[in-house]
Amino acid sequence: MLGAGAAFLIADVVIDFVWAHPAISKSDQPNLNRPAAQLVGRVLIVAEAIEGGRGKVRAGDTLWPVEGPDMPAGAEVRVTAAKGTVLLVERA
């Protein structure tokens, strides 16, 4: 009984290393579960003025916090990067 448990434990570790190895588990959609990263490169409209380097933009039905140069609501910005859930923007 103890031998079978040890065998299953070893098999589990081997399977984890094989299936979770980065070279094997590369995705064809690396940003699938990173919605902020999917917005990089898009041009969006400022929803809440960027003041003091912080504001909000609207992408679809979601307001995203942004960091970038001060701009009034309604201005167009381009998303240059994502830092967690905060989008980094520049003038479009």
Side-chain angles (χ1 to χ4, degrees):
M1 195 58 127
L2 185 60
F8 282 123
L9 182 62
I10 291 170
D12 181 49
V13 170
V14 170
I15 289 170
D16 287 346
F17 275 117
V18 170
W19 281 337
H21 193 274
I24 295 172
S25 62
K26 292 243 185 224
S27 172
D28 60 339
Q29 297 179 352
N31 292 329
L32 182 62
N33 291 319
R34 298 174 51 213
Q38 293 176 10
L39 296 173
V40 173
R42 288 189 50 189
V43 174
L44 303 172
I45 305 296
V46 176
E48 294 179 16
I50 302 174
E51 297 174 345
R54 298 182 149 254
K56 292 189 179 181
V57 296
R58 180 172 299 281
D61 63 349
T62 305
L63 283 177
W64 289 86
V66 297
E67 291 181 359
D70 290 357
M71 285 183 248
E76 290 187 340
V77 294
R78 181 178 319 281
V79 179
T80 58
K83 185 172 61 174
T85 59
V86 177
L87 304 176
L88 306 179
V89 298
E90 65 184 11
R91 292 185 193 283

